[in-house]
Amino acid sequence: MADSTSSASPPERPVYVIGGGPGGLSVAYALRARGIRAVVLEKSDRVGAAWRGHYDRLHLHTTRRLSALPGLPMPRRFGRWVSRDDVVRYLEKYAEAHELEIVTGVEVSRVERTPDGTGWLLHATGGRELTGTAVVVATGYNHTPYVPDWTGLEKYSGDFVHAGDYRTPAPYAGRDVLVVGVGNTGAEIAVDLVEGGASRVRLSVRTAPHIVRRSTAGWAAQYTGILVRRLPVAVVDRLARPMAKLSVPDLSEQGLPRPETGLYSRVKEGAIPVQDVGLIDAVRKGRVEVVAAVDGFEDGKVVLADGTRISPDAVVAATGYARALERLVGHLDVLDTKGRPLAHGARTPQNAPGLHFTGFTTPISGTLRELAIDAEKIAKAVEKSGGAALSRLPG
């Protein structure tokens, strides 16, 4: 008979990982490799949901070798620049090979401390309340499509889609299309439309981007990003200027002047350089026309910042995404004024120990590479801080 004066030990709790994309899967593996039970909660019915929704022509801008997650190389047959479909195949294989514990169809709506302050309580689909010793938020940088609050948009008579809903150029063949936004997505969609037979493609640009060659004489831009990522921002800015002049032609006459702000300064603000996959040639040859930023819509037309009014048949808004973390953790005072986590990777907010975030930065050295590095660091930090409360895997 048990001693009636002894108190029962608190139940062991898993680590909950919110999001079944590359960040969430890599953290789950790193935890499992340390013998810690990790449960991935994915709101869709399959892993890699965000990747499945990207446009068809998408390929990684980072090399296959430096884009693999911990514990499983990407197959050589994928080639140097891995396609969207192969990324999805890899994520599926990754989850299977590592026997990760993944629960699909479960969306977490709110994360808060347990009443006794010893762990984390997750409110999820179907009224579920899940208790974990730690939580890793890996819901993704590109979570919720963002469209500016343009006046008159509701009266625009043409087709309007966010880039998140763009798949192929086929529906736009023979049509006049305006692409809004010159990040990597907007630049690549503009080229895709040209090659897919659109009759006219215009690219609306508010701020001229830094453009880099994805690879020069076999040297991937990612390699340079890795080499300089820890250098002072001002130093990298200075180094980047002459390199840009050597590798990228001056497109000022075509409406894309060289940026006034430094390349790495822009990266630190969240603006990754555009890796050229055909945009330079398309702009030089006039196949993609650069126009001013969109100010709004009026009488069914698009109003540009320079006062021009144009009437494209369709608009593709490559205007980015919101992190959408406010509802999930906004009440915990762990986000900055722009809704970004105050702490990232192995670090946790001082007022929220055990709460980790991964995948909410835009590193110059490659997102997948940094997710893999972060995963190992997070797992180590969780193991160090979790102690006896962690649920351990058998064996």
Side-chain angles (χ1 to χ4, degrees):
M1 179 180 292
D3 185 349
S4 61
T5 62
S6 64
S7 59
S9 298
E12 293 181 337
R13 298 164 174 170
V15 176
Y16 282 107
V17 180
I18 307 174
L25 297 181
S26 58
V27 169
Y29 161 76
L31 288 165
R32 184 179 177 84
R34 291 175 177 269
I36 300 169
R37 184 186 173 207
V39 180
V40 178
L41 304 175
E42 167 55 46
K43 69 177 182 179
S44 74
D45 60 349
R46 294 174 292 180
V47 300
W51 278 93
R52 297 174 192 275
H54 288 314
Y55 47 93
D56 290 357
R57 75 172 280 149
L58 178 66
H59 285 68
L60 292 180
H61 292 162
T62 53
T63 67
R64 169 184 52 79
R65 187 174 63 84
L66 294 178
S67 299
L69 303 181
L72 187 69
M74 285 189 172
R76 290 179 61 88
R77 68 177 183 275
F78 285 179
R80 193 182 197 197
W81 312 108
V82 182
S83 71
R84 176 204 64 186
D85 289 347
D86 281 337
V87 171
V88 171
R89 293 186 185 98
Y90 173 74
L91 295 178
E92 291 174 337
K93 180 64 176 178
Y94 191 86
E96 177 187 350
H98 294 312
E99 299 180 336
L100 302 181
E101 188 174 348
I102 301 170
V103 183
T104 59
V106 174
E107 182 175 8
V108 179
S109 58
R110 183 179 174 90
V111 176
E112 59 190 15
R113 295 293 284 176
T114 54
D116 62 5
T118 62
W120 292 95
L121 179 64
L122 286 69
H123 299 272
T125 306
R128 294 178 178 89
E129 291 189 347
L130 309 170
T131 304
T133 188
V135 174
V136 182
V137 180
T139 50
Y141 192 85
N142 294 339
H143 185 275
T144 301
Y146 167 75
V147 175
D149 187 20
W150 285 314
T151 58
L153 176 58
E154 68 282 357
K155 296 181 180 179
Y156 174 60
S157 57
D159 293 336
F160 181 93
V161 297
H162 185 273
D165 294 318
Y166 175 92
R167 294 294 177 270
T168 75
Y172 304 95
R175 305 178 71 192
D176 180 346
V177 187
L178 173 68
V179 180
V180 184
V182 70
N184 277 292
T185 297
E188 193 155 351
I189 288 177
V191 173
D192 198 34
L193 289 164
V194 166
E195 295 178 354
S199 63
R200 184 178 190 181
V201 178
R202 283 174 281 198
L203 182 59
S204 172
V205 176
R206 184 171 298 277
T207 304
H210 286 274
I211 303 175
V212 299
R213 300 285 188 181
R214 186 171 66 175
S215 180
T216 303
W219 179 266
Q222 182 185 14
Y223 299 162
T224 303
I226 293 170
L227 290 174
V228 305
R229 65 185 295 269
R230 297 194 182 280
L231 293 178
V233 171
V235 171
V236 180
D237 284 348
R238 286 196 296 270
L239 292 172
R241 291 189 189 102
M243 292 300 296
K245 290 182 179 180
L246 286 173
S247 61
V248 177
D250 186 357
L251 301 173
S252 298
E253 292 186 3
Q254 289 79 26
L256 280 181
R258 298 190 189 278
E260 296 180 0
T261 52
L263 183 148
Y264 207 19
S265 295
R266 293 278 293 277
V267 170
K268 290 297 186 180
E269 295 171 357
I272 289 293
V274 171
Q275 295 209 19
D276 179 48
V277 290
L279 180 67
I280 292 174
D281 284 346
V283 170
R284 291 179 71 183
K285 295 175 181 178
R287 301 179 72 191
V288 170
E289 305 169 45
V290 178
V291 298
V294 171
D295 263 4
F297 293 73
E298 186 176 301
D299 297 327
K301 297 182 178 181
V302 182
V303 182
L304 303 180
D306 61 4
T308 305
R309 283 168 167 71
I310 60 176
S311 302
D313 301 318
V315 174
V316 179
T319 45
Y321 295 80
R323 312 294 84 79
L325 292 170
E326 288 80 5
R327 187 167 71 102
L328 187 68
V329 296
H331 55 285
L332 297 172
D333 194 26
V334 295
L335 304 177
D336 66 15
T337 56
K338 295 183 178 180
R340 300 172 300 192
L342 291 170
H344 196 271
R347 296 185 303 110
T348 62
Q350 290 186 354
N351 61 328
L355 178 63
H356 295 267
F357 296 87
T358 186
F360 295 97
T361 60
T362 52
I364 195 172
S365 49
T367 297
L368 292 178
R369 177 181 183 272
E370 296 303 323
L371 286 176
I373 294 172
D374 269 354
E376 302 285 1
K377 292 180 178 179
I378 290 171
K380 183 178 180 179
V382 169
E383 182 180 44
K384 183 178 179 180
S385 63
L390 287 170
S391 177
R392 297 284 177 173
L393 296 169

